[in-house]
Amino acid sequence: MIRTILKQVKQYKKPSLLTPLFATLEVIMEVLIPYVIAAIVDKGIDGGNMQAVYRYGAIMLVMAMFSLLFGILAGKYAAAASAGFACNLRDSMYENIQRFSFSNIDKFSTAGLVTRMTTDVTNIQNAYQMVIRIAVRAPLMLICSMFMCFFIHVRMSLIFVVAIIFLGIVLISIVLTAMKIFDVVFKKYDDLNASVQENVTAIRVVKSYVREDYEKSKFTSAAENLYKLFSKAESVVVLNNPVMMITIYGCVLALSWFGSKYIVAGSMTTGELTSMFSYIMGILMSLMMLSMIFVMLTLSTASAKRIVEVLTEEPDLQNGENPIMEVADGSIDFNAVSFSYKQSSENETLKDIELHIKSGETIGIIGGTGCGKSSLVSLISRLYDVTGGSVCVGGRDVREYDMEVLRDNVAVVLQKNVLFSGTILENLRWGKEDATEEECREACMQACADEFIRQLPDGYNTYIEQGGTNVSGGQKQRLCIARALLKKPKILILDDSTSAVDTATDAKIRSAFAKSIPGTTKLIIAQRISSVQEADRILVLEDGRIDGFGTHEELLASNEIYKDIYETQVKGGGDFDEAAGGEG
Amino acid sequence: MKRVLKYVWKDYKFSCIVVVLCIVLAAFTNLKGLTFIEVLIDDYIKPMVGSENPDFGGLFLALAQLAGYFAVGVLCTYLYNRIMVNVTQGTMRNLRKALFSKMESLPIRYFDTHAHGDIMSVYTNDVDTLRQLISQSMPQTINCAVTIVSVFYGMITNNILLTGLSLVMVGIMLFTTKRLSKKSGYYFRAQQKDLGQVNGYIEEMMEGQKVVKVFCHEEKSLEEFRKINEQLRDSADNANKFANIMMPINGNISNISYVLCAVLGAVLAVNGYMGLTLGALISFLTLNRNFSQPITQISQQINSIVMAQAGARRVFELMDAEPEPDEGYVELVNAEREADGEIKEVAERTGFWAWKHPHKAEGTVTYTPLTGDVVFDDVDFGYDEKKQVLYNIKMFATPGQKIAFVGSTGAGKTTITNLINRFYDIQDGKIRYDGININKIKKADLRRSLGIVLQDTHLFTGTVMENIRYGRLEATDEECIDAAKLANADSFITRLPDGYQTLLTGDGSNLSQGQRQLLAIARAAVADPPVLILDEATSSIDTRTEKLVQEGMDRLMQGRTTFVIAHRLSTIRNADCIMVMEQGRIIEKGNHEELIAEKGKYYQLYTGKFAS
């Protein structure tokens, strides 16, 4: 996992290596400086030797300058390396997502992907910066300080060894205990946020049923719970500080006691004692940093895992070798096709589909929710691969085509369709990048969108908000149809794409299709019988199987399901959808 | 920032005092330890050096005394850290509770005009920045301030000249810190902005990823992403760079300060000026190190303080939002009809409700039975002053009647239902409920008398049973099951793995759209209100489930005044009155036959043909 992530360092290897290098140099300077301080005290001040004070003072100044230089360089490269690394991570994730097939996309939620690419990457960025700056620095500081202590006085240094072992054991056990509690805390925290989110989205229900007080008491107990757990976890963590202080103070006391003895006995100088005092700080600080790094790395493993999941997700659709670059015509053949979303699942979404559609035909598809309508059409543009049998477009298996060529020729207007922030023209040009305004207008006329667009204050240059929130459902659907039409596809698939358009406009769109793109094979999925009634043939799907395939009259005479739907809609309790009004 | 402090102070006065006291004590003992070296060298080591029979007894006593100080220091450190945990977490809890209870009191308008993500982020990101501030930045700043003051005192009593020199160096340090934090602050803000942009772009593109695929737009989308990603990299690089180099710069200025003090001190000590002893110089040098350290620490806090400021602003923005006003005084009470026809208020639930209408002027109270008679009298409305949405709406519904609204999206159908339960207040005209102006009715009581089934169903985390009971908290299990049966939901619920005890999560995402709608109907059925507002679902559910939903709704509507935003012919056909709406006006009204005969807009919509 770590290797997968580290691969993304790429062009930032140089700063990633320079950072620890400069950090090392900085540490060496920092470790040497107390030694020079000792020299100033012992050789200079103690003996009243001003010459020595000047000399060592100058040495220390130079070292401080170098330390400053190295420190700045280390900080600068660390920032460059970690920011660049994060940038690469985002880039690679985004790039891989672009290669995802539909079934890959289904695995991740939008919110999940957004967190992975922002919060998780930021966590990794911070952890990485910390590691390259401090992970080298802290142990190095520890070793160098220890070395210097031993160099000054071996027996006194044993005090540090005891202190380090004590502190190490205590810190690690504190961290481990706290982590366990924190695991629970974070789960509770998620629950609390979920409850807030629920209240924000369902505020109308809460207010309608006058349940404000009820919700408040629910939230209060959740917040109270979180408070208890969090306090428990943190009260373990705060032991860090006093333990640290006990160790430092213990060292100070021991150093003073033994130091005095050694000095009196003549085996140590006062200057050496002072520099020993500054090394204590260095050693203990680096231990503290190590425990912090430990916590940080443990916390970021969760993020790393989530990032790697995206990076290693293998797109399961690949272009074949020597792909075909041209689609001959708009004929579609399903040869004994079976399909399920999960490879292992026994639950087949589509079973034994045998279907042959001629180029230029208009086919209506009807059936209940979950009967496999959308799955069926998504196989045509190879959004998913079949599990058995084959789907052919223009007489060739879809898997033989270059995917881009196939999808340019098979235009799908998805059920859950989206407009992007940008002007109407920009959105339309998704269909054809270099489409002229004239072409766009023509497509909009076919989709009955031209009329309402002209009424907008900025016409075709009207800015569409993210998710198309500033146009109505029906308008959005018509824009999506126009966008697909611009591709001039050989096959056009409308997956329940006129559900929010009123019956009259729906009919107008269909008649425009018949007139302007007669050669295009049209597949229309609908809930409304009126939308498919006039199709050349109508396919009735039930439970993943073809239940009937024929003209309206034939089906009405022979097909039970079709008859049933027809009766409920037209006779009994038909559908009176979002009527036209001002927008038609 | 001040308000955050006030907030902490309000609930934790005693704790705060103890914390500050402990910090001062701890800093003081810390200082004792630092100056001890001077005493150690001058008073104990020096005299003993060269003596034949060194007596360590005095040193031992001094060390024991010092150990006592240290013990107090450790204790104080632990105490203030431990208390701060309670203060921080307690304040967080109080803040969250206050935020939530404030949020529940806000009008619907607030939720309609603020992005849900933004409201959520107040609870998570913004409250979190305050946690950092309270638990770390505040005690650390106090600690540093105390240390600075006490170290400064130690220095000044030691040697004034050297203290002056140290101060000059600290001045330089402060100056560079200020310059650097200004720069890094600028880039941190830029980074936050760029991060928001990347966030928004990813969100939009991921939401539409299937469309991107269908249109083979991968390359372009990647190209666009790379541009903003690079921008983010740049600002993150700069922000971190300036934050990173702050530490080495300050650390080494302190080194230089040390050297200068050592040299100057040595000159003084060697020549015997100002009575500076060797021990005093050494301990001054230690003080010097400890003087610059807290300043470096405070400078590290600056970024988190800046971020907390922004967080606090958003938290208090929500806290300060205007709550939903309620000046109603007419209440809904359980009642009984006496033998003589008088209505009497009773405590228990009778199934018979009455409006309790106190008249201030005369000091009397009258009771009006709740029947569900709703009148709109010339109502005008707009979501904001400039844009009127509804014009001169006039209509009436007598108890038990069914009123249907039809018309295109944006014609104002949903808006009308928002006015009856006073999610929004009308601008002009009057709405009367059982003859009472709804402005006089307490909002909670008004809403209790109305049942609503919305088009997008929202369910809560909890069992199916709990979700149904949401309609009336004191309903028994039997009553809930009866309601489910009425709503046609019982058959699918009993087929769920745990039946009525099945746990629903994430807004009922484990149920289909149709099933969720059936539950919403059951929920309204349990509440058993005299007036219903229904928003029929559009075509997203299949024909069979739709039939179930429709039957459920029809049964629920029986005997109640119902306002329904209609999409189905069956609903419209048997409605007592159909309102055809267009651009905020009722353009036609009447029953199905009348409207068909009229051959107007309704006829055109219904037949899908244009009248000749």
Side-chain angles (χ1 to χ4, degrees), chain A residues 245-273:
Chain A
M245 286 178 75
I246 287 178
T247 324
I248 294 181
Y249 287 154
C251 287
V252 169
L253 289 176
L255 277 182
S256 304
W257 177 248
F258 293 110
S260 311
K261 288 204 160 177
Y262 287 125
I263 293 173
V264 171
S267 69
M268 193 181 182
T269 63
T270 41
E272 283 172 348
L273 182 62

Side-chain angles (χ1 to χ4, degrees), chain A residues 46 100 198 215 421 576, chain B residues 204 213 226 278 461 470 567:
Chain A
D46 234 4
F100 276 13
E198 220 166 64
E215 291 295 333
S421 46
F576 193 82
Chain B
E204 174 163 23
K213 296 247 62 139
R226 286 208 165 121
L278 176 58
T461 307
Y470 206 83
H567 306 294

Side-chain angles (χ1 to χ4, degrees), chain B residues 416-524:
Chain B
I416 288 194
T417 61
N418 272 337
L419 300 181
I420 301 176
N421 56 20
R422 290 192 67 200
F423 277 170
Y424 285 92
D425 277 335
I426 55 176
Q427 283 169 346
D428 202 16
K430 266 191 191 109
I431 302 176
R432 287 203 183 80
Y433 191 141
D434 288 332
I436 308 165
N437 185 338
I438 59 167
N439 288 340
K440 291 186 191 166
I441 302 175
K442 273 199 173 161
K443 277 187 179 168
D445 288 321
L446 173 69
R447 286 173 191 164
R448 216 170 280 147
S449 73
L450 300 162
I452 296 191
V453 180
L454 297 167
Q455 194 175 334
D456 336 303
T457 316
H458 291 294
L459 298 173
F460 295 87
T461 307
T463 63
V464 170
M465 188 67 94
E466 281 165 6
N467 266 289
I468 298 177
R469 191 170 287 141
Y470 206 83
R472 180 155 56 87
L473 295 179
E474 66 278 8
T476 62
D477 283 3
E478 284 71 41
E479 285 173 310
C480 291
I481 294 172
D482 284 345
K485 282 184 178 149
L486 176 109
N488 259 341
D490 182 67
S491 61
F492 96 80
I493 296 172
T494 44
R495 265 183 283 132
L496 291 173
D498 296 317
Y500 280 86
Q501 299 309 320
T502 307
L503 205 60
L504 302 180
T505 51
D507 207 358
S509 54
N510 36 356
L511 298 180
S512 78
Q513 178 68 27
Q515 291 171 332
R516 291 156 42 129
Q517 201 140 36
L518 292 176
L519 276 188
I521 297 170
R523 182 165 65 188

